[in-house]
Amino acid sequence: MAVPVPLGTEDRTSRLTLRRPDRWHREDSPQADLRLTGDDVVLTVRSRPSERTVAEEHTSLLERLPGSVEGLRLIGCDPWTTAGAPARLVEYVRPDEDGDVAGAHLLFVTGRHRVDLTVERPLTRMLATDDLVSTVLESVRATEPAPSRPQRELEALPVAAPVPQLDGTHLGPDALTTLRSLAGRRWDPMLLRSPAGRELVQTGLVGRLGTLPETTQELLAPWADDTRPVTLEQRLPDGRTTRLQAWSETVVDGTDETGGTVARLPVERVVGLAAGRLGIRPSWTFPFRTGSLHANLLARRTGAADTAPDLPVAVAEADPRLARFWAAPWTVSSIRRPGRPAPVVVVHAEGIGFARVGRTEAGETAFRSDSPANVYRSVVRALLG
């Protein structure tokens, strides 16, 4: 929930009113009804005639946005109820030459017009500006009469994009361990005689005379300081486990037992990679009636796939939404941050959405549905926070 932020100035267009901080500035823009800037935020309002429903306009927006900018990722959508007209809020992240940009797109219809309000700011400022952006969005009000016919059902959403793969150098477990051991040290010629050392030479990470190319030195840099990684561990529906570790811009996709792929990526690309692994995409989020479950029951459900228990009949009958979530295939993800004793544990139910596993007290563990955009924020907090 957003912390209240003082909004001192009202701005008005022919389609809406909103309130914003006094320090934001109004700029002239011939392509927009309204343009405001301040606190690294850019807010733009546009409108055009339309007699389509909000579901039709929202579907069109979700189809168009990913193709508008190469690499744009949709991270969430929600019905929006405070505008005084049928509305949807779509959140996205798009690449930019100065760094990724986080966007919120508020769309509403009046029966005669479609209104698009976008708020963009650097991804690195997403968490710092969230409360301010939310407060401004909640102040938006349509000034035209809105359709009186309520919409009974929500529209279908896009299917999930393929899980991204890390493009890097694959190493066996011994070679990966040997590579890490080189951080901050000189090459030991004896390593050339080991299978792991020869593998490093064959992959080009180490020269034939033991020299370390500049790219390898950059790869090793975070390991030289004994930095602890941010780790994303996942248990997939088929029981397999995966691990993605990020030491700043050095990333390893794999485990100590199987080896893995090692690469160097900008941190914002690591955020996108982790978001893809989590399955973040637009999905409708509805709260469970049940706020917690028996700790042992939830621990068994989030454990090995062959030990997954049924939801107790009484709970399933009282909370059909939770029952559907429980019955779907689960991917259980743990996000571990250096210096934090407990991981963030997120469950993705295939075809439904997300839930977050909370604290355990008196034998009961908190378990609540969560939006994909909030899960994305957990990734941003871990890697950029």
Side-chain angles (χ1 to χ4, degrees), residues 39 53 162-163 192 208 211 221 291 312 336 339 353 373:
D39 297 310
T53 66
V163 175
L192 282 172
R208 293 191 178 278
T211 56
R336 300 181 182 275

Side-chain angles (χ1 to χ4, degrees), residues 79-91:
W80 193 258
T81 60
T82 62
R88 300 286 185 267
L89 180 69
V90 176
E91 295 190 76

Side-chain angles (χ1 to χ4, degrees), residues 15-17 82-85 108-110 140-146:
R15 313 287 175 230
L16 62 76
T17 62
T82 62
F108 67 83
V109 299
T110 66
V140 174
R141 297 292 183 273
T143 56
E144 285 186 335

Side-chain angles (χ1 to χ4, degrees), residues 26-300:
R26 186 163 182 164
E27 297 183 355
D28 293 331
S29 176
Q31 288 81 34
D33 300 352
L34 176 67
R35 182 180 175 88
L36 302 170
T37 59
D39 297 310
D40 297 320
V41 174
V42 178
L43 183 151
T44 307
V45 177
R46 296 182 176 89
S47 63
R48 59 177 174 80
S50 173
E51 296 181 355
R52 300 207 296 179
T53 66
V54 71
E56 292 169 329
E57 293 289 9
H58 181 228
T59 299
S60 174
L61 177 64
L62 294 181
E63 291 173 348
R64 179 181 60 81
L65 267 180
S68 62
V69 177
E70 184 178 357
L72 182 144
R73 172 179 292 277
L74 296 169
I75 63 171
C77 64
D78 291 289
W80 193 258
T81 60
T82 62
R88 300 286 185 267
L89 180 69
V90 176
E91 295 190 76
Y92 61 88
V93 175
R94 63 172 178 84
D96 186 79
E97 59 184 12
D98 295 323
D100 283 6
V101 172
H105 189 131
L106 179 61
L107 162 72
F108 67 83
V109 299
T110 66
R112 289 184 291 177
H113 291 91
R114 161 181 166 159
V115 181
D116 296 87
L117 184 154
T118 58
V119 183
E120 294 193 332
R121 67 272 201 205
L123 180 62
T124 54
R125 293 275 292 152
M126 182 184 194
L127 301 178
T129 57
D130 261 349
D131 290 340
L132 177 58
V133 169
S134 295
T135 304
V136 171
L137 290 174
E138 288 170 359
S139 76
V140 174
R141 297 292 183 273
T143 56
E144 285 186 335
S148 60
R149 183 180 62 186
Q151 184 176 337
R152 298 295 181 185
E153 295 185 3
L154 294 171
E155 55 276 15
L157 297 175
V159 299
V163 175
Q165 300 299 315
L166 179 62
D167 184 14
T169 303
H170 184 79
L171 298 173
D174 293 339
L176 187 56
T177 300
T178 300
L179 179 66
R180 290 191 59 181
S181 73
L182 297 177
R185 301 178 185 176
R186 301 182 66 179
W187 171 260
D188 182 354
M190 293 294 293
L191 290 176
L192 282 172
R193 302 179 183 178
S194 70
R198 289 194 293 271
E199 184 177 347
L200 293 177
V201 172
Q202 290 169 359
T203 58
L205 290 171
V206 175
R208 293 191 178 278
L209 299 179
T211 56
L212 296 179
E214 185 177 347
T215 53
T216 302
Q217 294 179 41
E218 292 174 347
L219 197 67
L220 295 174
W223 291 335
D225 299 329
D226 199 26
T227 303
R228 296 180 60 194
V230 174
T231 302
L232 171 62
E233 295 178 326
Q234 294 184 289
R235 183 181 296 279
L236 306 180
D238 60 8
R240 290 182 297 122
T241 58
T242 66
R243 186 177 69 184
L244 184 71
Q245 294 178 289
W247 293 260
S248 182
E249 296 182 340
T250 296
V251 184
V252 175
D253 181 14
T255 65
D256 296 335
E257 295 76 22
T258 63
T261 300
V262 61
R264 183 173 172 82
L265 296 176
V267 178
E268 291 173 335
R269 297 283 79 76
V270 182
V271 172
L273 180 65
R277 297 292 176 89
L278 285 160
I280 292 174
R281 67 175 182 88
S283 61
W284 302 120
T285 304
F286 303 101
F288 303 142
R289 292 180 181 177
T290 308
S292 64
L293 294 167
H294 193 279
N296 182 58
L297 177 73
L298 193 54
R300 289 168 58 202

